[in-house]
DNA sequence: AAGCCGGGGAA
DNA sequence: TTCCCAGGCTT
């Protein structure tokens, strides 16, 4: 009985109030973010790609540095992969950077170096899915389309009392369809951002939501029933596998050995310290060096260190090796600190071995 | 539909 | 530890 007074019917019956409450709250509460200062299509695009599965606080510094050194689409289309990945170093999901450049080249070739404005054309570009296409079309161009991210899924599931599994595509489509019906005729970008901002600042995951501060509390099913922790429903995650590795920090004078990773798969195209599968003992390590024709002045164990990915964990035994002599050409580049700072993008997994 | 693809902050 | 983040692509 009471349920009829919350959730979808409540919102559609008082849609104008819902929109106004949300927009007013956003006007008052919106964070001052660098991509909101001058929201050109290029700025919005770069920010949205950086923000995929990435927290706002993390993306801010990357965004500022990226825009400063790659100011427009044409510059991006001409950037070398190594410089591009260097700008992305530490941000993760490095394919995003490659898609960004690939899309920039398409824009130069097909769209006179301009961002396309409509949802469907955006959606066809690499690295732009349903969320990002909606975000760019609405925020940068004012088009009347939804932008449903993880925040919006949580907010809308709670407000409407949707207890279906939000990791299911069908549930996402259901919520996406409902948000489309809620879009105002103007300020679409602000409305979409208001829903996301609400999820990020008020309607927090788990038991943490601040329902007392929520501009939509008068509509909210989960808030009314005091069950925000029960919604949304999400199926459990898969477990991680563990891989042992031996990492070699080979130092020759002022230089350190690096190698480039494969072009596909995990950490594609990034640079790394030479490493081997399994944990080698110091003796096995020395034998390996001998095979390679390398004479070590000193060798000392470092670590072990752990690095956790989403569904993989590396357990790394490190060996710091002062190289005194090399018999033949090595398969690695010997990079100076300066070169590493400027050109070689090294994943965070190796950070603990790179100091000193 | 399920798996792959990073890294970090917070509970 | 687990969860989740302004997700997208491949199989």
């Amino acid at each position: 009985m009471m349920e009829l007074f919350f959730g979808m019917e409540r919102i559609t019956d008082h849609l104008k109030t819902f929109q106004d409450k949300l927009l007013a709250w956003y006007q008052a509460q919106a964070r001052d973010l660098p991509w909101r200062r001058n929201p050109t299509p290029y700025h919005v695009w770069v920010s949205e790609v950086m923000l995929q599965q990435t927290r706002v606080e993390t993306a801010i510094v990357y965004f500022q540095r990226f825009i400063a050194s790659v100011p427009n689409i044409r510059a991006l289309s001409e950037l070398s992969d190594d410089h591009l990945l260097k700008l992305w170093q530490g941000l993760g999901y490095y394919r995003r950077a490659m898609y960004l450049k690939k899309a920039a080249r398409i824009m130069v070739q097909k769209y006179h170096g301009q961002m396309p404005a409509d949802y469907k054309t955006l959606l066809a570009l690499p690295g732009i899915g349903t969320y990002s296409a909606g975000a760019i079309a609405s925020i940068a161009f004012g088009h009347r389309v939804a932008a449903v991210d993880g925040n919006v899924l949580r907010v809308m599931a709670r407000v409407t009392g949707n207890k279906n599994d939000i990791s299911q595509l069908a549930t996402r489509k259901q919520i996406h369809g409902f948000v489309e019906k809620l879009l105002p005729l103007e300020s679409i970008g602000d409305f979409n951002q208001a829903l996301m901002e609400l999820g990020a600042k008020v309607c927090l995951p788990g038991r943490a939501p601040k329902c007392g501060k929520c501009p939509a509390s008068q509509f909210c099913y989960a808030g009314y029933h005091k069950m925000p922790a029960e919604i949304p429903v999400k199926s459990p995650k898969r477990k991680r596998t563990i891989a042992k590795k031996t990492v070699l920090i080979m130092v020759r004078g002022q230089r350190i050995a690096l190698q480039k990773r494969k072009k596909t798969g995990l950490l594609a195209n990034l640079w790394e310290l030479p490493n081997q599968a399994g944990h080698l003992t110091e003796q096995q390590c020395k034998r390996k060096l001998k095979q390679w024709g390398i004479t070590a002045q000193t060798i000392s164990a470092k670590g072990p260190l752990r690095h956790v990915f989403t569904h993989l964990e590396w357990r790394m035994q490190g060996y710091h090796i002062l190289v005194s002599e090399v018999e033949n050409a090595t398969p690695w580049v010997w990079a100076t600190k300066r070169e590493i700072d400027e050109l070689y993008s090294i994943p965070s997994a190796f950070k603990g071995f790179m100091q000193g």
Side-chain angles (χ1 to χ4, degrees), chain A residues 49-68:
Chain A
V49 172
M50 282 189 173
L51 288 164
Q52 289 167 5
Q53 291 293 286
T54 305
R55 289 168 201 279
V56 166
E57 302 76 44
T58 305
I60 288 174
V61 176
Y62 282 89
F63 176 82
Q64 290 169 326
R65 191 180 55 190
F66 194 95
I67 295 301

Side-chain angles (χ1 to χ4, degrees), chain A residues 1 10 22 24 30 60 90 93 118 120 143 157 215 289 299 337:
Chain A
M1 174 66 176
R10 176 75 180 245
L22 215 56
I60 288 174
Y93 288 142
D118 69 284
K120 283 205 163 182
H143 288 199
L289 292 170
I299 174 166
K337 183 182 186 317

Side-chain angles (χ1 to χ4, degrees), chain A residues 57-97:
Chain A
E57 302 76 44
T58 305
I60 288 174
V61 176
Y62 282 89
F63 176 82
Q64 290 169 326
R65 191 180 55 190
F66 194 95
I67 295 301
S69 73
V70 190
N72 53 53
I73 293 172
R74 189 165 300 274
L76 174 55
S77 74
E78 294 167 354
L79 190 64
S80 79
D81 288 357
D82 277 334
H83 282 100
L84 175 59
L85 288 171
K86 188 65 198 179
L87 287 166
W88 215 265
Q89 176 178 296
L91 199 53
Y93 288 142
Y94 298 91
R95 282 188 304 183
R96 292 183 293 175

Side-chain angles (χ1 to χ4, degrees), chain A residues 8-22 144 178-184 191 219:
Chain A
M8 298 208 289
E9 294 84 354
R10 176 75 180 245
I11 296 173
T12 47
D13 285 355
H14 303 87
L15 182 53
K16 187 72 167 60
T17 307
F18 180 80
Q19 293 166 341
D20 289 348
K21 286 248 179 197
L22 215 56
R144 198 156 175 270
F178 186 61
V179 173
E180 283 181 322
K181 292 201 287 185
L182 305 182
L183 295 174
F191 182 82
F219 301 94

Side-chain angles (χ1 to χ4, degrees), chain A residues 258-326:
Chain A
L258 294 180
Q259 64 188 20
K260 193 160 190 169
R261 291 180 60 84
K262 292 181 304 182
K263 293 186 191 310
T264 58
L266 185 68
L267 304 170
N269 297 310
L270 273 71
W271 294 81
E272 64 181 359
L273 293 169
N275 59 84
Q276 303 238 173
H279 283 175
L280 273 58
T281 64
E282 194 168 317
Q283 289 306 317
Q284 292 171 314
C285 188
K286 283 179 179 168
R287 215 170 300 148
K288 210 54 150 171
L289 292 170
K290 198 167 187 177
Q291 280 175 27
W292 291 334
I294 290 175
T295 309
Q297 187 178 333
T298 66
I299 174 166
S300 60
K302 300 256 277 182
L305 296 180
R306 265 160 36 98
H307 186 81
V308 180
F309 299 92
T310 301
H311 46 278
L312 175 66
E313 178 180 332
W314 282 354
R315 295 192 180 166
M316 299 172 284
Q317 174 60 54
Y319 289 104
H320 184 274
I321 297 151
L322 270 182
V323 176
S324 53
E325 219 175 303
V326 177

Side-chain angles (χ1 to χ4, degrees), chain A residues 11 121 154 159 176 188 211 218 231 237 273 339 341:
Chain A
I11 296 173
T121 312
R154 180 175 60 256
V159 172
H176 190 277
I188 326 291
C211 297
Q218 68 184 84
I231 302 178
K237 300 241 158 99
L273 293 169
E339 287 168 342
D341 286 343

Side-chain angles (χ1 to χ4, degrees), chain A residues 62-300:
Chain A
Y62 282 89
F63 176 82
Q64 290 169 326
R65 191 180 55 190
F66 194 95
I67 295 301
S69 73
V70 190
N72 53 53
I73 293 172
R74 189 165 300 274
L76 174 55
S77 74
E78 294 167 354
L79 190 64
S80 79
D81 288 357
D82 277 334
H83 282 100
L84 175 59
L85 288 171
K86 188 65 198 179
L87 287 166
W88 215 265
Q89 176 178 296
L91 199 53
Y93 288 142
Y94 298 91
R95 282 188 304 183
R96 292 183 293 175
M98 309 308 281
Y99 289 144
L100 210 58
K101 175 175 164 182
K102 192 179 278 185
R105 298 177 78 116
I106 293 173
M107 290 176 208
V108 168
Q109 289 169 14
K110 292 176 65 175
Y111 306 126
H112 308 288
Q114 303 289 314
M115 282 286 295
D118 69 284
Y119 177 83
K120 283 205 163 182
T121 312
L122 288 165
L123 191 57
L125 291 167
I128 299 182
T130 54
Y131 163 71
S132 299
I136 296 166
S138 65
I139 297 170
F141 298 105
H143 288 199
R144 198 156 175 270
V145 290
V148 178
D149 72 334
N151 288 308
V152 180
L153 286 175
R154 180 175 60 256
V155 169
M156 293 313 297
R158 281 177 174 159
V159 172
T160 64
N162 190 328
K163 296 169 186 166
N164 298 325
D165 184 348
I166 62 164
S167 56
Q168 296 293 310
L169 189 60
T171 309
R172 293 173 185 234
K173 284 184 174 173
Q174 196 178 22
I175 292 176
H176 190 277
F178 186 61
V179 173
E180 283 181 322
K181 292 201 287 185
L182 305 182
L183 295 174
L185 295 176
E186 294 178 349
S187 306
I188 326 291
D190 282 353
F191 182 82
N192 283 332
Q193 291 186 83
L195 280 176
M196 293 190 265
E197 191 101 349
L198 190 62
K201 305 298 286 183
V202 174
C203 196
L204 302 173
R207 304 184 172 281
K210 303 170 178 176
C211 297
K213 295 187 174 180
C214 183
S217 59
Q218 68 184 84
F219 301 94
C220 186
Y221 176 97
Y224 177 77
H225 291 282
K226 307 209 181 305
M227 53 186 300
E230 270 61 57
I231 302 178
V233 176
K234 201 170 183 181
S235 56
K237 300 241 158 99
R238 58 282 179 193
K239 63 171 169 29
R240 265 191 291 276
T241 59
I242 295 174
K244 294 182 177 179
K245 300 171 84 69
T246 301
V247 175
L248 306 180
I249 308 104
M250 289 185 282
V251 179
R252 179 157 65 145
Q254 300 299 311
R255 295 171 181 274
I256 183 167
L258 294 180
Q259 64 188 20
K260 193 160 190 169
R261 291 180 60 84
K262 292 181 304 182
K263 293 186 191 310
T264 58
L266 185 68
L267 304 170
N269 297 310
L270 273 71
W271 294 81
E272 64 181 359
L273 293 169
N275 59 84
Q276 303 238 173
H279 283 175
L280 273 58
T281 64
E282 194 168 317
Q283 289 306 317
Q284 292 171 314
C285 188
K286 283 179 179 168
R287 215 170 300 148
K288 210 54 150 171
L289 292 170
K290 198 167 187 177
Q291 280 175 27
W292 291 334
I294 290 175
T295 309
Q297 187 178 333
T298 66
I299 174 166
S300 60

